[in-house]
Amino acid sequence: MSLLKLTGSALAKKTVAPLVIATRASSHFVYTPDAKAPIEGPTKKMNMFQAINNAMDIAMERDNSALVFGEDVAFGGVFRCSMGLQQKYGKERVFNTPLCEQGIAGFAIGVANTGATAIAEMQFADYIFPAFDQIVNEAAKYRYRSGNLFDCGSLTFRAPSGAVGHGACYHSQSPEAYFAHTPGLKVVVPRGPNKAKGLLLACIKEKDPCIVFEPKTLYRAAVEEVPEAPFESPLGKADVLRVGNDMTLIGWGTQIHVLKEVADMAKKEYGVNCEVIDLVSILPWDKETVCNSAKKTGRVLIAHEAPLTCGFGAELAATIQEECFLHLEAPIARVTGWDTPFPHVFEPFYIPDKFRCLAGIKKLIDY
Amino acid sequence: MSLMTTARQLARFTGRTQMLTKCLATKMVHTETQNSATSGGERARFPGAQAAFVDKPLMSLPENSEPIPIYRAMNADGVFEDPAQDPNLSRETVQKMFRDMVLLNTMDKILYESQRQGRISFYMTNFGEEASHIGSAAALSPDDWVYGQYREAGVLVWRGFTISDFINQCYGNREDEGKGRQMPVHYGSKKLNFVTISSPLGTQIPQAVGAAYAFKRQPNNDRCVITYFGEGAASEGDAHAAFNFAATLDCPVILFCRNNGFAISTPSKEQYRGDGIAGRAAGYGIAALRFDGTDIFAVYNATKQAREYVLKHNKPIVLEAMQYRISHHSTSDDSSAYRPAEELEIWNTVEHPISKLKNYMKQRDWFNEEEEEKYVKAIRKQVLAQINQSEKIPKPDWREVFQDVYHEMPTHLKEQMKQMEEHVEKYKEHYPLNDFKN
């Protein structure tokens, strides 16, 4: 694994933005910045890795117990998220660990048991599985099984996830649904720099163990004005990014940008007004916002990169069906990755791109 | 061709650099005197290991290395072979050690029986391993954090966990601080710095390392972490992770292995082929100390020395207590299915940790047969009374199912709790509501 991983990291580090464009005719999404900054005050143009770096800088500045660690974080991280932090805060607070995900997770839990803040990086979400036992059996259950005597609430895992154009089986996965099945965890996915900064700061402060899946294709591609001051994006809260009456489109991460474009296309081609919801939080998720929208529009399309079967879309669809049965005008549609491993050269045929989403919308209209 | 030339040039360059570099040159001398098999004294420059070249393919054979010896302070008669090894603990301390072992042993016998009678759902005894618990606990500071596996109840006894604390946990009643959520023997105590036990094996070991790292960073730290695990758990990937992280991140942690010869039915010869667990330490660059886990003073001395070492150097140490699991693995196991009864005999008599300490005390006239019998009787009585009492104490409010999943209960859990409340209200005759506090 390590060799492959290094290859992957190097690739990703050097090529995320330029090579994706060079090797593929076009990226499968167009990044559109948030319309409004989350708070007032001076802003700075940042891409997503810079916003994440900024959030960790703030967290370390104000909390001397905060540690940043993982594989290759000391020199700045293979995606540059921890650039400059070791120089600023020292080797004791920003450091490399041996190459062992279960160790990173177990170590992070121990740090958090003492009340110190642990910000641990899994180099790719694809490699979080060796730590699955520590995360699912230990981190998630610590508070519960000890009767609240002990907890590891001050830990946050960050993991680059999602499609990147050429990541194939082990640099593309979106494993959020595995963790959504685990009571005790909080799981979030940002759609851009502002959200990444706000969510990361919220997760670090949160008294429960959190996982932030960061869509790696956005690290450089997503650029927007980000407030320089600290701010937090609420966990468990979805964002309605576009208001519409005819149909609800739900996604998270990179897929949000696909859906925003699809909403434009649907308006232009079919005259349909789509409401676009960024779920943001996978666990716990914002049932109220989702169901209010579904009741209003009567038609719902859910899109995610992860495979269909038992993907988080299934949970959303089942709940919407239960809560909004009398309002639904058509079956809930899911446009997702196929039930296959994530392939290399076939990526354009695998991802739920704008044309598959548009086709899904057409079906819902015609139902 | 050009590659070969480059290699030769590089080799020549390497040689020159060595002559010029003081530290490397020192190492070269060391190599030449220590190892006659080097090729012309040339020192390797690979970043991954500090070693000399040899000109023959010499295999490092495991059978060529001596096993790490087992430190023993006193023999089975309670006599110190080297009197200097006597830690000269006070009579009160030794008596507390003895009585705590007896308490654990007595409580174990009764709780084991109570499980057989169906009064509690599960139990695991500590027979034969009492000295490794009490001896190590006595050598630690009460502020040191403990991460255990599940067969370390003696550490809690030493620190002041009471008979009622133990039994209430086994019953999961409302006096259990763990709120009845885990199986019996999954103890934990915030005030005694004993981190709550969980069933997945080995998971606590890297956690202990992380906690030790966090403590190390606190100003004037005088607190280390000890983590206990069996030799079976040491086969888990988490043990590897922990050893390696502890070494590379310089953590003041004591990695305490109870090597009792069995992991359920699996004998240690099917668990590993190396020199036990202590034999692995060097491979991680960690200090190691192996000792007789049935000799409470060997355990005490070793742990005390280990504690001083880890705190002085901010480094880990592997301790390996050699002992024998006299217990069945658990109440769900009958060990006669995989080992002969005769084998147990020796460990139950001359090699038993309690009898060894008894012999030591007898020599000092610190042991009074009559008093001890009285003590055992009193403990028996207390345990039986506590069982009767714990059985009658209601279990926590059943709504505790939903608490502590998160720091604050999220909306979806509130909804699920409400659903269950309505359901229980309607179908109450089908649920054991009388056993639960309302």
Side-chain angles (χ1 to χ4, degrees):
Chain A
M1 194 165 80
S2 66
L3 259 183
L4 270 179
K5 199 189 287 190
L6 285 174
T7 314
S9 326
L11 247 184
K13 177 175 59 180
K14 297 203 180 89
T15 61
V16 169
L19 240 180
V20 169
I21 293 159
T23 53
R24 297 245 324 265
S26 65
S27 181
H28 75 284
F29 68 96
V30 175
Y31 179 75
T32 45
D34 278 0
K36 200 173 151 280
I39 55 163
E40 300 290 313
T43 62
K44 204 178 157 190
K45 197 165 241 184
M46 294 185 201
N47 65 25
M48 201 172 79
F49 84 64
Q50 288 162 336
I52 289 163
N53 181 274
N54 179 241
M56 290 198 284
D57 192 0
I58 289 168
M60 299 202 79
E61 179 88 55
R62 63 182 180 193
D63 172 8
N64 178 52
S65 82
L67 307 175
V68 168
F69 54 88
E71 295 158 14
D72 306 299
V73 303
F75 86 115
V78 298
F79 289 109
R80 320 316 285 148
C81 292
S82 51
M83 282 273 278
L85 294 181
Q86 191 183 62
Q87 287 89 323
K88 193 163 172 192
Y89 298 103
K91 287 180 177 175
E92 198 183 270
R93 295 186 62 196
V94 181
F95 52 90
N96 290 336
T97 65
L99 205 164
C100 180
E101 286 75 11
Q102 65 198 97
I104 294 170
F107 184 89
I109 292 168
V111 168
N113 284 157
T114 71
T117 299
I119 308 167
E121 179 178 302
M122 298 284 160
Q123 200 160 70
F124 285 83
D126 311 63
Y127 305 125
I128 202 169
F129 301 112
F132 202 64
D133 184 44
Q134 283 285 358
I135 297 173
V136 171
N137 274 332
E138 294 291 323
K141 297 173 177 57
Y142 234 102
R143 191 189 297 280
Y144 188 76
R145 66 167 158 81
S146 70
N148 203 17
L149 292 179
F150 296 91
D151 68 79
C152 58
S154 56
L155 82 75
T156 302
F157 293 114
R158 295 178 38 245
S161 70
V164 68
H166 56 289
C169 301
Y170 306 111
H171 301 84
S172 308
Q173 293 182 56
S174 299
E176 62 271 10
Y178 291 104
F179 296 94
H181 197 54
T182 305
L185 298 177
K186 294 198 169 170
V187 182
V188 296
V189 188
R191 65 172 176 273
N194 273 310
K195 214 64 197 170
K197 177 173 175 178
L199 285 174
L200 186 51
L201 282 172
C203 284
I204 291 168
K205 205 178 199 183
E206 185 69 15
K207 290 177 174 157
D208 295 305
C210 297
I211 307 178
V212 187
F213 287 116
E214 300 165 356
K216 67 180 90 62
T217 195
L218 301 178
Y219 278 136
R220 284 163 191 270
V223 182
E224 66 194 3
E225 291 292 334
V226 178
E228 292 178 59
F231 63 93
E232 282 158 31
S233 296
L235 306 180
K237 190 85 192 71
D239 292 337
V240 180
L241 298 178
R242 188 168 304 197
V243 178
N245 286 312
D246 302 326
M247 194 174 296
T248 302
L249 310 181
I250 309 168
W252 50 91
T254 318
Q255 195 64 23
I256 277 306
H257 305 292
V258 176
L259 291 179
K260 278 160 93 175
E261 198 182 345
V262 168
D264 290 340
M265 291 160 82
K267 174 75 185 161
K268 201 171 146 206
E269 302 216 3
Y270 311 123
V272 170
N273 286 317
C274 291
E275 184 144 300
V276 178
I277 296 180
D278 179 358
L279 194 64
V280 182
S281 262
I282 306 298
L283 183 68
W285 65 279
D286 186 351
K287 190 163 88 174
E288 198 186 347
T289 300
V290 166
C291 289
N292 283 346
S293 175
K295 282 176 189 165
K296 178 176 74 174
T297 63
R299 287 182 170 82
V300 179
L301 182 139
I302 303 156
H304 55 68
E305 287 179 13
L308 175 75
T309 301
C310 289
F312 198 66
E315 179 61 32
L316 294 177
T319 306
I320 295 165
Q321 183 270 148
E322 196 181 346
E323 300 281 324
C324 316
F325 187 69
L326 294 176
H327 302 267
L328 290 175
E329 303 289 345
I332 298 160
R334 288 181 287 158
V335 182
T336 70
W338 304 116
D339 285 342
T340 72
F342 198 110
H344 188 212
V345 301
F346 309 115
E347 180 170 321
F349 301 92
Y350 175 87
I351 51 169
D353 66 3
K354 57 189 173 193
F355 303 108
R356 281 180 58 207
C357 290
L358 191 65
I361 288 174
K362 182 73 169 63
K363 264 191 174 172
L364 282 182
I365 297 168
D366 294 345
Y367 187 81
Chain B
M1 188 65 189
S2 67
L3 260 183
M4 283 179 70
T5 317
T6 317
R8 240 179 269 131
Q9 277 168 350
L10 193 67
R12 238 177 285 139
F13 173 74
T14 306
R16 275 205 302 277
T17 317
Q18 275 179 344
M19 301 290 277
L20 294 169
T21 313
K22 198 179 167 190
C23 67
L24 274 180
T26 317
K27 278 179 188 160
M28 195 168 71
V29 172
H30 173 80
T31 305
E32 279 167 353
T33 52
Q34 298 276 311
N35 194 341
S36 56
T38 51
S39 335
E42 202 179 318
R43 186 140 189 107
R45 305 187 73 198
F46 305 110
Q50 304 264 306
F53 280 117
V54 292
D55 57 12
K56 289 185 183 58
L58 295 176
M59 273 195 269
S60 293
L61 293 172
E63 48 269 41
N64 290 348
S65 61
E66 278 295 308
I68 293 173
I70 302 165
Y71 162 59
R72 183 171 82 161
M74 67 177 181
N75 64 20
D77 298 328
V79 175
F80 280 90
E81 283 154 336
D82 170 6
Q85 290 305 312
D86 187 344
N88 290 313
L89 298 174
S90 69
R91 179 178 180 157
E92 290 69 38
T93 305
V94 173
Q95 270 172 342
K96 176 169 161 53
M97 284 174 150
F98 185 77
R99 291 194 158 193
D100 280 359
M101 286 204 285
V102 168
L103 185 155
L104 178 62
N105 188 275
T106 309
M107 182 175 72
D108 273 357
K109 283 175 183 155
I110 302 172
L111 286 174
Y112 181 81
E113 285 309 318
S114 74
Q115 192 283 335
R116 303 276 91 177
Q117 295 162 10
R119 299 175 81 170
I120 55 174
S121 62
F122 179 80
Y123 197 68
M124 298 177 109
T125 59
N126 301 279
F127 302 140
E129 303 188 41
E130 295 90 342
S132 67
H133 306 179
I134 307 291
S136 58
L140 298 168
S141 149
D143 291 335
D144 294 338
W145 269 32
V146 178
Y147 284 80
Q149 179 167 300
Y150 50 62
R151 214 185 297 281
E152 295 91 9
V155 176
L156 278 164
V157 174
W158 177 265
R159 288 191 170 197
F161 212 60
T162 63
I163 289 173
S164 55
D165 291 334
F166 282 112
I167 297 176
N168 287 330
Q169 194 282 332
C170 290
Y171 276 94
N173 62 33
R174 72 179 183 206
E175 301 294 321
D176 167 24
E177 280 198 299
K179 304 184 186 173
R181 295 192 182 118
Q182 289 209 93
M183 284 174 79
V185 313
H186 290 53
Y187 310 116
S189 172
K190 185 80 177 169
K191 77 172 185 280
L192 302 178
N193 294 313
F194 190 100
V195 180
T196 302
I197 298 294
S198 73
S199 307
L201 286 183
T203 48
Q204 80 281 13
I205 317 175
Q207 293 169 13
V209 175
Y213 189 93
F215 287 150
K216 179 179 79 167
R217 290 197 60 243
Q218 295 178 355
N220 308 316
N221 177 48
D222 189 32
R223 185 160 50 174
C224 75
V225 178
I226 188 167
T227 174
Y228 296 89
F229 49 96
E231 88 288 350
S235 295
E236 292 281 1
D238 278 325
H240 161 66
F243 282 32
N244 204 23
F245 277 55
T248 58
L249 299 172
D250 301 317
C251 299
V253 61
I254 301 172
L255 304 155
F256 190 111
C257 177
R258 296 176 294 98
N259 190 335
N260 62 18
F262 294 90
I264 307 189
S265 73
T266 305
S268 48
K269 67 172 185 286
E270 292 170 23
Q271 200 64 247
Y272 52 76
R273 279 296 150 87
D275 177 27
I277 309 308
R280 293 176 196 170
Y284 291 99
I286 306 182
L289 184 45
R290 170 181 280 160
F291 50 87
D292 180 351
T294 67
D295 168 1
I296 196 163
F297 294 117
V299 180
Y300 176 86
N301 289 342
T303 311
K304 194 160 182 285
Q305 193 176 321
R307 185 176 190 277
E308 283 161 14
Y309 172 83
V310 302
L311 281 171
K312 186 172 173 203
H313 301 283
N314 278 329
K315 280 184 177 180
I317 189 169
V318 173
L319 298 188
E320 186 176 24
M322 307 308 295
Q323 45 200 7
Y324 188 91
R325 194 195 78 210
I326 298 170
S327 313
H328 298 298
H329 164 67
S330 73
T331 47
S332 311
D333 170 55
D334 173 10
S335 66
S336 68
Y338 50 82
R339 64 185 185 187
E342 310 85 73
E343 193 180 302
L344 278 178
E345 191 49 30
I346 188 83
W347 296 101
N348 244 330
T349 53
V350 286
E351 295 289 357
H352 198 284
I354 294 181
S355 82
K356 287 180 187 177
L357 185 56
K358 191 193 281 185
N359 290 341
Y360 170 87
M361 290 167 75
K362 275 179 180 165
Q363 287 169 58
R364 272 153 193 76
D365 216 14
W366 291 354
F367 185 78
N368 180 320
E369 194 80 51
E370 217 172 285
E371 257 178 45
E372 287 315 316
E373 270 172 30
K374 256 193 351 234
Y375 179 73
V376 172
K377 264 191 197 151
I379 294 293
R380 280 189 64 86
K381 214 173 139 190
Q382 205 184 329
V383 172
L384 287 167
Q386 188 62 50
I387 287 176
N388 283 328
Q389 198 185 327
S390 292
E391 222 161 37
K392 292 188 195 98
I393 297 172
K395 295 187 171 27
D397 187 327
W398 67 262
R399 288 168 196 83
E400 283 292 346
V401 169
F402 299 92
Q403 299 287 350
D404 302 327
V405 178
Y406 295 93
H407 178 250
E408 275 174 47
M409 198 185 290
T411 317
H412 70 285
L413 275 182
K414 283 184 187 152
E415 285 171 11
Q416 290 173 25
M417 187 167 87
K418 191 161 164 279
Q419 282 171 26
M420 192 58 192
E421 275 169 347
E422 286 164 7
H423 174 79
V424 165
E425 186 52 36
K426 239 182 222 164
Y427 292 85
K428 47 178 157 310
E429 66 275 23
H430 301 294
Y431 293 90
L433 288 176
N434 291 337
D435 300 346
F436 292 79
K437 182 189 164 195
N438 228 324

